Amino acid sequence: QQGVYFPDRKITVGDVEMPTVILGDPAYPLMPWLMKPYTGALDNEKELFSYRLSKCRMVVECAFGRLKGRWRSLLTRSDLSQKNIPIVIAACCVLHNLCESKGETFMVGWEVEANRLAADYAQPDTRAIRRSQRDALRIREALKACFQTDQGNQ
């Protein structure tokens, strides 16, 4: 909830400096490190932003769905140290890519079961993160403006 799991690398979009962000769906709270699409009645710019953000998020979700389907240990709470968790996830990614490149069978039921199990885990407490809304809104507005350009279409 604090958004402290990423390297302290910032980029500037327009005149707004921002951290690395996670892409979320509308159910998540908007945070400086957690971008979500606009909801409600949308103008063309907000609709384009939401479409592009959701398109990126769907690619990531499909990749993680396959990863979690193959390595179910990623579905549960890990008792590893915070230092070792990224190493284990990276190892799972490398092994998964190796399996994919070698044509190892990926059973469709694996991803369905992984998604069913993942739905049982608790989501973030939105009450504790309301104060970050103003910064998050500035970041989302800057990204929306960038998405209107050819650079944002990449």
Side-chain angles (χ1 to χ4, degrees):
Q1 291 181 354
Q2 308 305 317
V4 295
Y5 286 107
F6 299 110
D8 192 24
R9 293 189 192 126
K10 304 222 185 271
I11 63 165
T12 302
V13 176
D15 62 350
V16 176
E17 186 178 77
M18 64 185 69
T20 300
V21 297
I22 295 174
L23 307 179
D25 66 25
Y28 286 94
L30 181 64
M31 300 293 292
W33 51 270
L34 176 60
M35 283 296 105
K36 69 179 215 171
Y38 290 94
T39 56
L42 307 179
D43 61 25
N44 288 341
E45 290 180 353
K46 289 180 180 177
E47 191 172 312
L48 179 63
F49 170 86
S50 296
Y51 169 77
R52 289 188 173 164
L53 187 85
S54 295
K55 187 175 173 183
C56 292
R57 187 181 52 78
M58 290 173 62
V59 170
V60 172
E61 279 187 13
C62 288
F64 275 113
R66 289 182 67 87
L67 189 66
K68 292 184 301 185
R70 193 178 297 274
W71 310 112
R72 293 186 182 202
S73 63
L74 298 176
L75 289 171
T76 60
R77 181 178 180 268
S78 176
D79 291 325
L80 296 170
S81 72
Q82 287 184 1
K83 178 182 151 200
N84 289 332
I85 288 174
I87 296 167
V88 170
I89 292 171
C92 289
C93 290
V94 168
L95 291 171
H96 174 75
N97 288 343
L98 184 62
C99 291
E100 292 281 312
S101 70
K102 297 294 182 184
E104 291 289 325
T105 302
F106 182 88
M107 305 300 283
V108 176
W110 292 352
E111 191 171 353
V112 171
E113 179 68 6
N115 289 337
R116 187 188 66 73
L117 292 169
D120 294 337
Y121 295 107
Q123 298 299 315
D125 179 9
T126 59
R127 294 171 298 181
I129 49 184
R130 300 263 184 241
R131 64 185 170 275
S132 296
Q133 289 287 313
R134 189 179 67 213
D135 290 339
L137 289 168
R138 286 184 63 236
I139 290 170
R140 185 166 67 176
E141 287 298 311
L143 288 170
K144 179 185 77 172
C146 178
F147 283 4
Q148 302 305 311
T149 67
D150 287 338
Q151 181 184 6
N153 195 22
Q154 298 175 1

